[in-house]
Amino acid sequence: MFFIISQELDIMTTPIYIIEEAKLRRNLALIADVARRADVEIILAFKAFALWKTFPIFREYIQSTTASSLSEAKLAFHEFGHPAHTFSPAYTDAEIDEIARCSSHLTFNSLSQYEHFHDRVGDASIGLRVNPEYSEVGTLLYNPCAPGTRFGITADKLPDRLPADVEGFHCHCHCESGADVLQRTLVHIEEKFARWFPQLKWLNLGGGHLMTRKDYDVELLVSLLKGLHGRYPWLKIILEPGSAFAWQTGPLVSHVVDVVEDHGIRTAILDVSFTCHMPDCLEMPYYPDVRGAEHLEPSPMPATAATHDASADAPSADRRPQPASTVYRLGGNSCLSGDFMGDWRFDHELRIGEEVIFEDMLHYTTVKTTMFNGISHPAIGLLHTDGRLEILREFGYEDYRNRMD
């Protein structure tokens, strides 16, 4: 049995991400409708989705994007055709001028960064990232407000009177969250920072508003944003979700290359890699839906010491898959021992050449296979014996752009 993505489309070249235009437009239409009804600006965060050849579709629904690096800002300016709303944890002297030229809004992460660079931003509207010290993001890796965070300025560090050129606050607290989370978070944002709102022109509520998820309470979101407008009518409200735009818009399709077995654990080796193509699966770990399969608790890891009796660590008989079992660990095609994700029960035995389809893998995954957040790879240099440093390779915007091609 082969899981063809449609009756007409038999994928032969894999791995491949497939963007389904109809689903993308469905999300864009919903987002544009929320922006219109709530009188807010909703912009695309490149850290989640930056496939610039789809930008002509996006421009039918939204007018701007958000960047966090020079490469992302240049992508916004040159490919999306509009200056970016830019935030970076730290700007550098070498990049700040070009970033400013490509930005309509530029947010500083600290007062020291503001002091160092605020006179070099040109016509960009200046903002400060603030930290309300509240977030309901449970996974520490994704929680921007966890104790010890490197993101944002807490209320106790702000002067009573903001610098005259500061026009906005940027606050990011969410990750694939519901409108109810925003409702609770707004209480903390207003308690901490509302006394500065009369000095501002805009408030950016960041990303993580997963308004295109099936169970998301869109009406509550619209109501909350209208209420915010009612309390602070002079503030322009901005949201910059990433996942919401590309949520459920297409899969990552792979093929089974081989099936191996050790200690009763059967692994289907795929022509895709978790460490190279789906790093969240190892970092969190995050388990995507696999078409036609049920995710199970992972099998116990066997002992690795050469002198150890391996039979003592083999899974018990009731856990050990039998030859005709349909339970598989899914293995990546790299040499990293941990490049696997498991276990999964299929409704049939997998065959070499069969498709394995990972659902909803467009947001975040596509950008992490390239240069995440537009962060360039380090240059490569050779230090010769005479003390001369030869630069063998440098990476820049064109490398980022071409990888997103």
Side-chain angles (χ1 to χ4, degrees):
M1 179 179 179
F2 287 70
F3 296 108
I4 307 303
I5 195 165
S6 75
Q7 294 297 322
E8 298 79 21
L9 187 61
D10 189 350
I11 305 302
M12 300 305 296
T13 301
T14 64
I16 181 173
Y17 296 105
I18 297 177
I19 307 166
E20 299 182 52
E21 182 180 346
K23 294 180 179 179
L24 178 62
R25 286 186 179 276
R26 174 200 63 199
N27 287 353
L28 286 163
L30 186 150
I31 289 169
D33 184 63
V34 169
R36 178 188 59 78
R37 292 169 57 201
D39 189 24
V40 300
E41 183 175 20
I42 304 179
I43 61 182
L44 169 66
F46 283 164
K47 70 176 182 178
F49 188 86
L51 299 179
W52 57 269
K53 286 193 173 181
T54 65
F55 287 175
I57 299 174
F58 278 79
R59 284 195 296 267
E60 296 178 31
Y61 301 87
I62 64 171
Q63 285 70 55
S64 195
T65 58
T66 180
S68 294
S69 64
L70 175 57
S71 288
E72 287 189 338
K74 292 173 73 172
L75 194 74
F77 191 79
H78 295 296
E79 300 300 338
F80 199 87
H82 194 278
H85 293 238
T86 304
F87 162 80
S88 176
Y91 302 101
T92 66
D93 281 290
E95 296 182 340
I96 186 64
D97 296 322
E98 191 170 8
I99 285 177
R101 283 194 295 271
C102 295
S103 302
S104 61
H105 297 65
L106 198 149
T107 297
F108 292 104
N109 187 53
S110 67
L111 291 172
S112 59
Q113 279 264 300
Y114 164 81
E115 290 292 343
H116 192 59
F117 290 122
H118 76 101
D119 59 351
R120 295 171 61 179
V121 302
D123 295 329
S125 179
I126 293 177
L128 298 176
R129 177 156 176 171
V130 294
N131 174 15
E133 302 175 85
Y134 178 85
S135 175
E136 296 186 22
V137 178
T139 303
L140 191 61
L141 184 68
Y142 297 149
N143 189 339
C145 300
T149 181
R150 69 189 192 281
F151 295 125
I153 306 164
T154 53
D156 62 298
K157 294 183 174 66
L158 287 172
D160 291 335
R161 186 69 194 174
L162 297 173
D165 55 356
V166 171
E167 298 185 334
F169 277 173
H170 177 182
C171 186
H172 178 71
C173 310
H174 301 141
C175 178
E176 298 186 355
S177 303
D180 59 319
V181 178
L182 174 62
Q183 184 174 37
R184 293 186 290 272
T185 305
L186 280 175
V187 174
H188 294 266
I189 293 174
E190 293 183 68
E191 284 180 352
K192 296 277 188 179
F193 299 107
R195 67 188 180 100
W196 285 283
F197 287 179
Q199 303 176 44
L200 303 177
K201 294 181 179 179
W202 53 267
L203 175 65
N204 187 327
L205 294 174
H209 311 276
L210 195 48
M211 61 191 76
T212 53
R213 187 176 61 200
K214 189 175 298 185
D215 62 348
Y216 190 95
D217 191 342
V218 173
E219 296 308 314
L220 176 58
L221 174 64
V222 172
S223 175
L224 291 171
L225 295 174
K226 285 183 175 180
L228 198 60
H229 270 306
R231 294 189 294 278
Y232 316 103
W234 64 91
L235 285 181
K236 179 179 181 179
I237 307 300
I238 304 162
L239 283 73
E240 49 178 43
S243 295
F245 284 94
W247 186 258
Q248 297 288 347
T249 58
L252 172 60
V253 182
S254 68
H255 278 112
V256 177
V257 178
D258 196 10
V259 177
V260 297
E261 183 173 344
D262 183 66
H263 283 71
I265 298 173
R266 305 180 84 196
T267 299
I269 301 178
L270 311 176
D271 58 358
V272 72
S273 165
F274 297 101
T275 190
C276 297
H277 307 133
M278 296 174 276
D280 279 355
C281 294
L282 302 183
E283 290 173 356
M284 275 192 64
Y286 160 73
Y287 294 100
D289 290 334
V290 176
R291 190 173 301 183
E294 173 193 4
H295 176 240
L296 308 174
E297 290 299 315
S299 301
M301 287 293 291
T304 56
T307 57
H308 198 79
D309 180 5
S311 63
D313 291 303
S316 59
D318 60 341
R319 281 299 310 272
R320 183 185 296 117
Q322 300 303 310
S325 172
T326 61
V327 174
Y328 297 86
R329 176 177 288 174
L330 299 180
N333 203 15
S334 79
C335 292
L336 176 70
S337 297
D339 188 3
F340 67 85
M341 186 177 66
D343 293 317
W344 300 85
R345 177 184 289 118
F346 291 79
D347 60 6
H348 65 287
E349 286 194 76
L350 296 181
R351 293 177 289 166
I352 293 173
E354 178 172 352
E355 289 178 357
V356 173
I357 298 176
F358 298 91
E359 305 283 14
D360 191 24
M361 297 300 282
L362 273 297
H363 54 94
Y364 278 100
T365 306
T366 50
V367 292
K368 286 195 173 183
T369 63
T370 57
M371 294 178 177
F372 177 54
N373 242 172
I375 305 300
S376 291
H377 296 314
I380 302 170
L382 173 62
L383 182 61
H384 291 279
T385 55
D386 61 4
R388 178 173 51 91
L389 179 64
E390 179 186 0
I391 302 300
L392 304 178
R393 181 76 162 88
E394 289 183 287
F395 300 89
Y397 171 66
E398 289 302 321
D399 298 287
Y400 168 72
R401 178 186 180 276
N402 292 339
R403 286 186 171 212
M404 299 306 301
D405 194 332

